[in-house]
Amino acid sequence: SSNFTAYKLRHQFATDLVLNNTDIRTIQELMGHASSSMTIGYARSNKNKMKEAVNKRSTVAKTVAKNE
């Protein structure tokens, strides 16, 4: 049996958009959500990815500061 579902595909699509810095309003319209609070849930569900992004930016900032 496959774990593939339409729901998982939709969720992954929205998650990918969030991770690629797509505007929340755009994602909301693409997903057909009536309110942005539903869409924002996709951003919240990716706290590990957000932490990774912050750590990468922090590392870059430290490198730039060392080289100035």
Side-chain angles (χ1 to χ4, degrees):
S1 86
S2 175
N3 290 330
F4 176 80
T5 65
Y7 172 79
K8 287 181 181 180
L9 182 61
R10 272 181 57 85
H11 184 82
Q12 188 61 55
F13 175 70
T15 299
D16 289 347
L17 291 172
V18 168
L19 293 176
N20 286 295
N21 300 314
T22 304
D23 177 70
I24 291 292
R25 179 73 176 150
T26 300
I27 300 169
Q28 176 186 345
E29 290 180 24
L30 288 169
M31 298 302 291
H33 295 156
S35 72
S36 60
S37 62
M38 178 71 172
T39 310
I40 290 170
Y42 291 103
R44 287 189 194 128
S45 71
N46 291 291
K47 288 185 180 182
N48 287 336
K49 291 290 184 183
M50 288 188 281
K51 286 179 185 177
E52 287 176 22
V54 169
N55 287 336
K56 284 181 186 176
R57 290 182 189 263
S58 179
T59 301
V60 170
K62 289 176 187 173
T63 302
V64 169
K66 283 183 186 178
N67 293 322
E68 287 186 349

